[in-house]
Amino acid sequence: MQNLLGRRVGSATLVAALFAGVFLGAPAQALVRVAPSTVWGHTFAGTSAVKSANATTTNKPRSANIEAKSKFVVNYKNFPEWAKIEVQAAIDIWSANFQSSVPISVEASWGRSPSWGVLGSARPGNYYSGFEGAPDASLWYPSALANALAKKDLDKVSSEIIIQVNSTASWNQRGDSTPTSREYDLESVMLHELAHGLGFLSNNTYDSYFGFGSIDQPTPFDAYTQIPDGTRLADLPSPSLELGNALQNDLVWGGPLGVKANGGVKPKLYTPTPYEGGSSVSHLDEKTFSKSGLDSVMTPNLDAGEVFGGPGPLLIAMMEDLRNKPPVGIATVIPQTPRNVRALVSDSSAIVSFDAPVNVRTAQISTYVIKNLKTGQEKRSITSPVLMTGLKNGTSYTFSVYAINSIGESDAAQTGSVIPQAAWKATVLDSAADGKSVTSTTFNNLPTVAYTDSKNGALKIALLSGKVWKKITVDGTGGTGGRTKNPITGQISLCVNGAGTKQTLHIFYSDSVDKDLRYAAYDGKKFTFEVVDGNAPLLNSYEDPIRVRGNSDVSVSNACVASAGGVQVFYRDESQGILLGAVKKKGEDWNYELVDGDRKTDDRTTGDVAFHLRALGNAGTTYVIYDSVLVVNQKFATSGAVRVAWRTGLDENTWNYKSLDFTDGAVAVAGYDVSLAKVTNGIQATWLTASVLTVPKAENIRWALLGAPANILQTSGGTFGTPGAHIVSDGKQLAFECEGRICFFDYSKAGPAGIKLVTTAQNPEPLRMAWVTVSKVKYLLASVNGKLSLLKP
């Protein structure tokens, strides 16, 4: 497996991408969009190795008595101790100057730079658009700034800032802030790079061969950047020669706070010819500001012996501009027709979504008009989607959408017809828990569910006794006997062995801090606890044939099977991208194994496996279904398979493997989420797939019997919305996420005719679901409006 140990850097982001696709659900009428950050901002070593006349010697404030406005948490990779002190000094200064109620995670790597002239590089973790609190829904905000504006963490998996420092540079290691004429000041570089990570960064790219400039996701920085006539950089056609030319000519900052801090003059940005990747646009002009004292911090070059004393008043003002809505740009043409207009089923309402016209940047649209063609009702909005209310369930409706700017209005685009229908009725099971992760089983003849409460980090179980759900806090709030005070997050799996009312309930879960795989056993009276894997002192390399407990991150996914012979749990090794297993026979310790992801022989794969994982036992045979990411482009999977492994008994050498679905003409990526269920004629697998047109977002639900894997059936979400994130199947019916909501599919009815609406509220993040049978009635267990609830038609 090539570069397997090195894949840990990007895997957390990939998990988020596979779970959420390109959209994260949001409340009200908006959907939060997320895009990868791929453009870096650099600090270059000055051209002279001798201290220049321009060098800034302003003393830098130290952190002893600085009042913090935000909290930064740094994950250091290979940093020497002296360097950590320099980084922390820069962190403390930014903590006092950047306001955020959400902790800012920084991933800082110390290593050789591919370019000797680069001292440091930084980028945001991701970009977000359309979130609640965004000043301008059309722009893309970097992670830390988006979280600060939203007042919540929009992605609890990924770091907000990524920084790389050149370990081979001639650094001043004395910690005295007085580098010699042959040394560079690391704290200065970190002050500069943190600003890039916080949002002082254009999202542009330049094709030096064709001369085209591109800005696929314009940021507030791009919206405040202007060409001399006042046109915003964000509004220039992309890709285009016009934008490419602008990137190499005079550009200025138009934000009012930045202009005021610069004495009423629009600050000049760095735009050399030819274009310099990592420097052009994303810095203050070198010639103008290199002698400006504190305001020199965002010039592109740091000379040997030079010290940046900032962030100065200009940088602070420009960063404050980023928090405000930029002025609307200049409209030069009438809007073209809105694209991809569609209407989705909701309860007594419809969700109308659309994409902006092709010429959105030059049209400067002020509003969209959504019209109910049956009733004449109109709504105006600057964002998509829009909830059209006041409709009758069972009645067909169509809608039109057109755009308006200061010059005129576009032609209207029309949706297909949609028929609203009633959602399922919800009964609250636990009003105090949000149940972001849930699962269920039958234990001692009682319906039993396990779920998380993210408000206090607890793992709970609820057992139905008569008509009362008995709720028990299992772990996550501290205690004795092996419990943890760390919050419990991620997937939970349940399995049961024993007979009658003398069964044992086995619970597997992970914590968000140590990222260990934890285990609780419950006999109906007491719990016992232990850590299965992740808490060892050393990594158990995938290349080592001797399998032992390791120190990998094993918190992403898990699934278990219990029988009279023992308990099996399967889980992803996030640090190495492999599928591991642990078996505990009665009276014995855990025996560890590597199930897949380590080689291509024996029908195995070297894909990055088991982001999503389910297991099932049937008549002595264990089945494990999981996804396998084969190709990643810009953090998103562009090729992937769904695989199944099975064995009879517990011998680690008897696994069999098969790819159920994989990349071909119709399927770009198979995976996203998976499910297994027993049916009358065997074991049924269900999974999600994306086409080339929808990557990285899932498009179809596919299923097949393991005994007839070539006979694959599929359906789309139709007018209910694109399937995505999580699914759960009992073999007869399937629940799946549909545009941030929950929908239902009946396998016995072909295509979209078998789909029904379950919930209407769009959740802020994907939620897991489970089927529960109570008194022979099948319910769906899920979170509704932040409360764990049981749902039925």
Side-chain angles (χ1 to χ4, degrees):
M1 179 177 289
Q2 296 180 351
N3 198 28
L4 186 60
L5 298 179
R7 290 188 301 179
R8 178 65 183 93
V9 174
S11 57
T13 304
L14 181 58
V15 172
L18 291 177
F19 267 88
V22 74
F23 292 98
L24 296 176
Q29 297 179 17
L31 282 178
V32 180
R33 296 177 291 169
V34 57
S37 171
T38 58
V39 177
W40 296 80
H42 302 314
T43 303
F44 281 96
T47 56
S48 173
V50 179
K51 190 172 183 177
S52 71
N54 297 339
T56 301
T57 57
T58 307
N59 290 331
K60 293 177 293 186
R62 285 295 179 177
S63 60
N65 298 306
I66 298 178
E67 181 181 354
K69 296 180 179 179
S70 56
K71 178 182 179 181
F72 289 70
V73 180
V74 186
N75 175 21
Y76 291 104
K77 296 188 175 182
N78 303 318
F79 265 73
E81 290 304 315
W82 72 265
K84 292 180 181 180
I85 296 172
E86 296 287 301
V87 174
Q88 191 59 50
I91 289 285
D92 291 342
I93 292 171
W94 270 113
S95 294
N97 286 283
F98 186 85
Q99 180 71 46
S100 180
S101 60
V102 182
I104 301 165
S105 173
V106 180
E107 182 181 291
S109 300
W110 178 269
R112 183 184 297 272
S113 172
S115 173
W116 69 269
V118 174
L119 297 174
S121 305
R123 63 170 174 81
N126 288 303
Y127 285 99
Y128 297 89
S129 177
F131 55 88
E132 187 175 2
D136 190 325
S138 69
L139 299 176
W140 295 77
Y141 290 79
S143 296
L145 181 58
N147 288 347
L149 294 167
K151 295 182 172 57
K152 64 180 179 181
D153 195 339
L154 297 173
D155 181 356
K156 297 180 181 179
V157 177
S158 304
S159 297
E160 280 71 54
I161 300 175
I162 311 296
I163 293 179
Q164 297 177 352
V165 177
N166 188 352
S167 62
T168 64
S170 179
W171 298 110
N172 170 24
Q173 301 183 23
R174 296 182 301 279
D176 57 7
S177 296
T178 55
T180 70
S181 60
R182 296 186 180 277
E183 295 175 331
Y184 295 98
D185 183 60
L186 179 57
E187 183 181 341
S188 295
V189 171
M190 292 303 298
L191 282 169
H192 179 111
E193 294 307 326
L194 285 166
H196 283 318
L198 291 169
F200 197 99
L201 185 68
S202 172
N203 205 20
N204 75 79
T205 58
Y206 178 75
D207 187 325
S208 59
Y209 185 81
F210 292 103
F212 281 83
S214 298
I215 304 179
D216 293 333
Q217 282 90 29
T219 68
F221 188 97
D222 296 313
Y224 280 118
T225 299
Q226 300 176 353
I227 62 177
D229 70 359
T231 300
R232 309 188 312 177
L233 191 69
D235 297 334
L236 295 178
S238 174
S240 70
L241 288 172
E242 183 182 357
L243 179 54
N245 290 332
L247 297 176
Q248 298 176 91
N249 285 282
D250 288 345
L251 291 173
V252 294
W253 184 262
L257 298 178
V259 173
K260 181 179 180 181
N262 198 44
V265 178
K266 292 182 179 181
K268 188 176 182 347
L269 300 178
Y270 182 62
T271 53
T273 302
Y275 178 92
E276 295 178 4
S279 279
S280 288
V281 187
S282 299
H283 293 89
L284 291 172
D285 184 59
E286 180 76 22
K287 292 181 181 179
T288 305
F289 292 99
S290 61
K291 298 180 181 180
S292 62
L294 290 173
D295 287 334
S296 67
V297 66
M298 289 317 292
T299 55
N301 302 322
L302 177 72
D303 288 339
E306 184 179 11
V307 173
F308 288 153
L314 176 55
L315 174 57
I316 295 300
M318 294 172 74
M319 295 297 290
E320 284 301 311
D321 275 329
L322 298 178
R323 294 174 179 262
N324 300 319
K325 180 178 175 61
V328 176
I330 303 168
T332 59
V333 294
I334 293 176
Q336 294 180 16
T337 307
R339 298 170 298 151
N340 301 322
V341 175
R342 63 172 180 162
L344 303 177
V345 173
S346 195
D347 190 346
S348 301
S349 57
I351 299 172
V352 178
S353 65
F354 51 90
D355 292 335
V358 173
N359 68 339
V360 61
R361 295 186 180 181
T362 54
Q364 289 302 301
I365 296 164
S366 57
T367 190
Y368 293 94
V369 178
I370 301 89
K371 183 176 182 179
N372 183 330
L373 297 180
K374 180 179 287 292
T375 66
Q377 175 200 18
E378 289 186 351
K379 272 194 176 182
R380 294 182 176 235
S381 176
I382 61 170
T383 60
S384 168
V386 174
L387 184 66
M388 301 295 288
T389 58
L391 310 184
K392 293 182 180 180
N393 290 336
T395 299
S396 179
Y397 296 88
T398 56
F399 304 87
S400 67
V401 181
Y402 63 93
I404 299 176
N405 70 0
S406 59
I407 299 176
E409 61 185 45
S410 74
D411 292 334
Q414 186 171 314
T415 71
S417 61
V418 66
I419 302 175
Q421 65 175 232
W424 288 12
K425 297 177 182 178
T427 301
V428 174
L429 188 153
D430 190 337
S431 61
D434 53 12
K436 289 187 176 180
S437 184
V438 298
T439 190
S440 68
T441 190
T442 299
F443 168 60
N444 285 343
N445 296 324
L446 299 176
T448 301
V449 301
Y451 55 99
T452 56
D453 179 2
S454 62
K455 299 172 186 175
N456 60 12
L459 167 67
K460 295 182 176 181
I461 62 170
L463 301 92
L464 183 62
S465 180
K467 294 183 178 180
V468 178
W469 287 95
K470 178 184 178 183
K471 305 176 188 72
I472 304 171
T473 297
V474 179
D475 205 352
T477 57
T480 60
R483 292 178 172 88
T484 179
K485 64 179 181 180
N486 296 335
I488 306 303
T489 56
Q491 190 168 355
I492 313 164
S493 58
L494 297 179
C495 46
V496 174
N497 59 3
T501 58
K502 295 183 179 180
Q503 294 182 316
T504 300
L505 177 67
H506 308 277
I507 314 171
F508 295 90
Y509 53 97
S510 299
D511 70 285
S512 62
V513 178
D514 296 328
K515 298 186 182 301
D516 296 334
L517 178 63
R518 309 185 71 89
Y519 167 54
Y522 181 56
D523 63 3
K525 297 179 180 179
K526 68 179 186 302
F527 288 93
T528 58
F529 298 88
E530 64 178 301
V531 175
V532 177
D533 204 351
N535 64 340
L538 299 174
L539 181 86
N540 187 194
S541 171
Y542 75 95
E543 297 175 310
D544 192 340
I546 300 174
R547 305 310 304 169
V548 296
R549 188 191 304 255
N551 69 355
S552 295
D553 175 353
V554 287
S555 65
V556 171
S557 62
N558 66 78
C560 68
V561 173
S563 64
V567 181
Q568 306 173 74
V569 61
F570 307 99
Y571 49 100
R572 172 176 165 80
D573 181 330
E574 169 74 347
S575 303
Q576 301 185 80
I578 52 180
L579 173 58
L580 300 177
V583 179
K584 188 179 184 68
K585 298 179 182 178
K586 188 174 182 179
E588 297 183 9
D589 292 331
W590 291 101
N591 180 58
Y592 298 91
E593 58 184 317
L594 199 168
V595 180
D596 203 0
D598 60 329
R599 61 180 185 266
K600 286 190 175 180
T601 58
D602 312 321
D603 293 324
R604 296 196 184 203
T605 182
T606 55
D608 201 354
V609 298
F611 290 100
H612 305 89
L613 172 67
R614 298 290 176 95
L616 184 150
N618 185 44
T621 299
T622 299
Y623 300 90
V624 185
I625 188 172
Y626 49 97
D627 51 5
S628 174
V629 174
L630 303 174
V631 178
V632 175
N633 181 21
Q634 294 186 349
K635 301 181 187 178
F636 292 113
T638 56
S639 177
V642 170
R643 291 175 56 79
V644 64
W646 70 97
R647 69 177 173 194
T648 300
L650 302 177
D651 188 341
E652 63 190 73
N653 298 310
T654 58
W655 284 107
N656 302 280
Y657 303 89
K658 186 175 184 61
S659 290
L660 295 179
D661 204 4
F662 42 82
T663 300
D664 60 16
V667 173
V669 179
Y672 297 94
D673 201 9
V674 294
S675 189
L676 281 178
K678 296 179 185 178
V679 293
T680 55
N681 49 346
I683 305 296
Q684 180 177 279
T686 306
W687 62 94
L688 298 174
T689 65
S691 69
V692 174
L693 296 177
T694 63
V695 167
K697 199 170 187 287
E699 179 181 34
N700 289 314
I701 303 164
R702 286 160 72 91
W703 66 97
L705 291 172
L706 296 187
N711 185 24
I712 297 177
L713 302 175
Q714 77 171 36
T715 186
S716 69
T719 57
F720 291 82
T722 307
H726 298 304
I727 59 174
V728 61
S729 170
D730 68 358
K732 295 181 179 180
Q733 49 196 6
L734 173 82
F736 64 95
E737 190 210 15
C738 51
E739 306 290 346
R741 308 170 301 161
I742 300 175
C743 291
F744 162 90
F745 175 64
D746 183 342
Y747 286 99
S748 66
K749 296 180 181 179
I755 299 177
K756 300 294 181 182
L757 183 67
V758 177
T759 64
T760 59
Q762 292 180 289
N763 290 301
E765 58 186 277
L767 303 177
R768 291 183 171 90
M769 304 155 284
W771 291 108
V772 182
T773 300
V774 178
S775 300
K776 298 182 180 181
V777 176
K778 185 67 66 75
Y779 292 84
L780 182 66
L781 178 71
S783 180
V784 178
N785 297 321
K787 299 178 181 180
L788 184 66
S789 302
L790 293 167
L791 298 125
K792 68 174 183 177

